[in-house]
């Protein structure tokens, strides 16, 4: 079974799993190659490494291995990443195993007004690993589950023609696969989601364009209580630059959601969404609204956002409300704050969103994170990372879940390619109707990165 990432060593592999953009921005037109090998040796002691109700203390040795190869020319980019952790444990974990493997393969080609992108992403991780939360959404099942392994596989191909031309086309084909194994929570269900989308874009002028699109999504949930559904959306989006400081967009669509199974049903109707953005000397104002046909009924949302460029950072604030048919009206808050210090930085982020889980239950997902980094000397630094993830299932019988993760990490450069890292990590999880779980972990290790250009 895979284990939570321990500080900075296994974090090397986690960083490599950031989503690869279909088309790389800021590509080096002159081309080039880059290969990087990351190696980390970590020793950690945890009083509850499996993050169960009554866990046993164990000492674990983790060897992290990662390989990244990037190749770029004037018209295409290739990215390949692979890695994982070799674990040596004591007690019940005595022996060795290869844990948390990941693979990322991406190819993008851009020739004149045509683009083509191919990507494959695979990751296997422990369900209790905080880095596994958010791979799809802050599902309360993920926040509340205790043991088991989660596998995510994504295959995607996308393309576009007539970029910046008066007429253009685009398409996207994607398959997402989610698998659970060795879990004790029966609500963790395997899923397969297939999405096909195509569009036509008409550019009437540099300031005005219209895109019509057709999107089909098939979500197949395997297991008791799972709700299979097929969603078809036919619509159009109008983008306009009204003035040098004011821009807007408006989307109209006809949505149909068909629920399959023993008691099939269909929900359909018109959806509308849009927004306005006004630039100011020190930032911008933004207003967005939507009234969509959602899986739990019609969902209405309104959001106001203010972004500010500060002297030593930036600040973004948002406030909105959401209402789903038959449920309560709830507020939505958002904060994005970054402040640069003399020898470090502080960041604070708060985001809330409304989603539907595998059982078609409506929920509000909240993510709050705080990060502080401070250079101690020219060769060492100290960082504090804290996060709170909360899932609030709407309705009288809704199940709420919450998880808190805090880590303190010290890093020191030993030589040009060698770093020492050590620290402490705490995790705590609660869910309605279950016993709370928590764990404390102390870790220390070495990292090395070798780069060839």
């Amino acid at each position: 079974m895979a284990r939570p990432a321990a500080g900075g060593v296994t974090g090397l592999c986690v960083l490599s799993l950031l989503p690869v953009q279909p088309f790389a921005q800021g590509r080096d037109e002159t081309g080039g190659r880059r290969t990087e090998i990351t190696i980390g040796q970590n020793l950690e002691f945890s009083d509850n490494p499996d993050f169960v109700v009554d866990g046993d203390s164990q000492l674990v040795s983790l060897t992290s291995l990662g390989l990244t190869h990037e190749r770029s020319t004037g018209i295409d980019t290739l990215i390949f990443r692979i890695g994982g952790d070799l674990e040596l444990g004591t007690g019940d974990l005595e022996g060795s195993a290869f844990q948390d493997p990941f693979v990322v393969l991406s190819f993008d080609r851009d020739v004149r007004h045509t683009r083509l992108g191919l990507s494959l992403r695979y990751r296997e991780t422990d369900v209790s690993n905080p880095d596994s939360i958010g791979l799809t959404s802050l599902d309360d099942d993920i926040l509340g589950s205790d043991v088991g392994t989660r596998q995510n596989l994504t295959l995607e191909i996308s393309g576009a023609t007539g970029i910046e031309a008066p007429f253009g086309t685009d398409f996207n084909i994607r398959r997402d696969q989610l698998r659970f194994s060795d879990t004790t929570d029966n609500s963790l269900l395997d899923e397969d989601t297939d999405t096909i989308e195509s569009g036509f874009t008409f550019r009437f002028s540099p300031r005005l364009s219209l895109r019509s699109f057709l999107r089909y999504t098939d979500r197949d949930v395997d297991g008791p209580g799972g709700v299979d559904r097929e969603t078809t959306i036919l619509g159009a989006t109008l983008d306009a630059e009204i003035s040098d400081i004011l821009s807007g967009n408006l989307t109209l669509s006809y949505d149909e959601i068909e629920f399959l199974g023993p008691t099939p049903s269909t929900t359909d109707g018109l959806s509308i969404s849009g927004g306005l953005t006004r630039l100011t000397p020190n930032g911008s104002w933004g207003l967005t609204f939507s009234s969509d046909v959602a899986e739990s009924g019609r969902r209405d949302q309104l959001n106001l956002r203010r972004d500010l460029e500060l002297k030593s950072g930036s600040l973004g604030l948002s406030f909105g409300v959401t209402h789903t048919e038959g449920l309560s009206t709830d507020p939505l808050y958002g904060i994005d704050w970054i402040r640069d210090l003399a020898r470090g930085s502080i960041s604070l982020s708060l985001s809330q969103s409304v989603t539907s889980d595998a059982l078609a239950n409506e929920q509000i997902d909240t993510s709050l994170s705080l990060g502080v980094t401070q250079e101690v000397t020219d060769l060492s630094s100290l960082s504090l990372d804290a996060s709170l993830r909360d899932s609030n299932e709407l309705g009288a019988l809704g199940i709420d879940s919450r998880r808190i993760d805090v880590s303190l990490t010290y890093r020191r450069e030993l030589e040009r390619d060698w770093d020492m890292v050590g620290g402490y990590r705490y995790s705590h999880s609660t869910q309605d109707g279950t016993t709370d779980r928590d764990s404390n972990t102390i870790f220390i290790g070495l990292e090395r990165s070798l780069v060839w250009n």
Side-chain angles (χ1 to χ4, degrees):
M1 182 180 63
R3 301 213 161 273
V9 174
T10 51
L12 289 171
C13 298
V14 174
L15 288 175
S16 298
L17 291 174
L18 294 176
V20 178
Q21 298 297 327
F23 306 111
Q25 300 295 320
R27 180 181 302 154
D28 183 3
E29 298 297 336
T30 61
R33 295 187 181 185
R34 180 179 181 273
T35 301
E36 180 179 6
I37 297 178
T38 55
I39 303 172
Q41 182 61 53
N42 197 60
L43 188 66
E44 69 172 41
F45 177 80
S46 176
D47 62 355
N48 188 7
D50 292 327
F51 205 57
V52 294
V53 175
D54 294 315
D56 297 325
S57 301
Q58 290 173 344
L59 180 67
V60 176
S61 173
L62 291 173
T63 301
S64 302
L65 303 172
L67 170 66
T68 298
H69 177 73
E70 300 178 358
R71 191 211 63 181
S72 171
T73 69
I75 61 175
D76 59 45
T77 298
L78 174 67
I79 299 175
F80 174 69
R81 296 169 181 161
I82 188 171
D85 299 333
L86 179 63
E87 179 183 280
L88 299 175
T90 60
D92 295 338
L93 293 176
E94 186 173 357
S96 61
F98 190 68
Q99 307 288 358
D100 293 343
F102 68 87
V103 177
V104 176
L105 178 62
S106 173
F107 176 77
D108 302 315
R109 186 175 179 85
D110 187 345
V111 181
R112 295 177 64 86
H113 298 291
T114 303
R115 291 176 180 172
L116 177 65
L118 305 170
S119 68
L120 177 149
R121 297 186 293 273
Y122 171 81
R123 183 182 181 186
E124 178 182 319
T125 186
D126 193 277
V127 170
S128 63
N129 187 341
D131 294 312
S132 73
I133 302 171
L135 291 178
T136 53
S137 67
L138 302 185
D139 197 320
D140 60 343
D141 296 330
I142 304 300
L143 293 174
S145 187
D146 47 2
V147 296
T149 302
R150 174 184 181 133
Q151 297 175 337
N152 288 82
L153 174 65
T154 299
L155 301 172
E156 186 173 11
I157 176 173
S158 58
T161 63
I163 300 172
E164 298 180 354
F167 174 75
T169 64
D170 63 88
F171 73 92
N172 181 273
I173 303 174
R174 174 170 174 154
R175 179 176 179 82
D176 292 287
Q177 189 178 85
L178 173 63
R179 294 290 183 270
F180 293 99
S181 60
D182 301 324
T183 58
T184 59
D185 191 341
N186 294 328
S187 63
L188 293 178
L189 304 178
D190 296 344
E191 294 185 34
D192 291 307
T193 303
D194 298 309
T195 303
I196 301 176
E197 180 174 351
S198 63
F200 299 93
T201 301
F202 303 87
R203 297 178 181 86
F204 306 108
S205 71
R207 290 178 174 268
L208 183 65
S209 65
L210 175 68
R211 178 179 180 265
S212 61
F213 62 91
L214 174 64
R215 183 186 307 128
Y216 171 79
T217 302
D218 181 6
R219 185 175 181 181
D220 184 8
V221 182
D222 185 16
V227 180
D228 299 341
R229 65 211 84 166
E230 296 180 356
T231 303
T232 304
I233 301 176
L234 176 63
T237 299
L238 181 68
D239 287 293
E241 293 185 18
I242 304 172
S243 68
D244 292 339
I245 62 172
L246 183 64
S247 62
N249 64 82
L250 180 66
T251 299
L252 294 173
S253 66
Y254 175 79
D255 303 357
E256 180 183 83
I257 304 176
E258 182 178 1
F259 298 93
L260 309 176
T263 57
S265 62
T266 301
T267 300
D268 59 358
L270 293 176
S271 294
I272 181 173
S273 63
L276 288 172
T277 301
R278 186 181 187 277
L279 301 179
T280 63
N282 62 343
S284 65
W285 284 93
L287 177 67
T288 61
F289 70 92
S290 64
S291 179
D292 301 323
V293 178
E295 296 173 345
S296 302
R298 178 164 291 276
R299 180 191 300 162
D300 300 317
Q301 292 192 54
L302 179 66
N303 187 275
L304 177 65
R305 182 177 178 87
R306 173 62 164 150
D307 289 293
L308 292 170
E309 295 293 334
L310 305 178
K311 183 178 180 180
S312 58
S314 62
L315 175 64
L317 300 172
S318 66
F319 173 76
V321 291
T322 180
H323 174 76
T324 300
E325 184 179 357
L327 299 175
S328 61
T329 299
D330 295 278
L332 296 175
Y333 303 99
I335 299 175
D336 290 293
W337 177 59
I338 299 176
R339 179 176 175 81
D340 298 325
L341 305 177
R343 304 189 64 177
S345 64
I346 300 177
S347 64
L348 177 66
S349 175
L350 169 66
S351 64
Q352 291 186 301
S353 61
V354 183
T355 61
S356 297
D357 62 14
L359 306 180
N361 296 318
E362 194 94 341
Q363 61 189 41
I364 296 180
D365 297 331
T366 301
S367 178
L368 174 64
S369 63
L370 170 68
V372 181
T373 301
Q374 180 66 47
E375 291 184 10
V376 181
T377 66
D378 293 338
L379 299 177
S380 62
S381 64
L382 191 65
S383 62
L384 171 67
D385 295 287
S387 66
L388 182 148
R389 298 174 174 91
D390 180 270
S391 178
N392 176 23
E393 189 174 304
L394 303 179
L397 302 178
I399 299 176
D400 298 339
S401 303
R402 177 174 295 180
R403 173 159 177 157
I404 299 174
D405 293 281
V406 181
S407 66
L408 181 65
T409 304
Y410 174 78
R411 179 182 296 272
R412 180 176 178 82
E413 181 180 339
L414 301 179
E415 293 184 6
R416 185 182 65 175
D417 298 328
W418 286 95
D419 290 336
M420 182 189 74
V421 62
Y424 166 78
R425 183 180 65 252
Y426 171 76
S427 298
H428 178 78
S429 177
T430 63
Q431 184 181 37
D432 292 346
T434 64
T435 304
D436 295 355
R437 298 184 307 279
D438 62 298
S439 69
N440 297 272
T441 303
I442 299 175
F443 56 89
I444 186 170
L446 295 173
E447 298 176 358
R448 188 176 188 185
S449 178
L450 303 174
V451 180
W452 295 271
N453 292 311

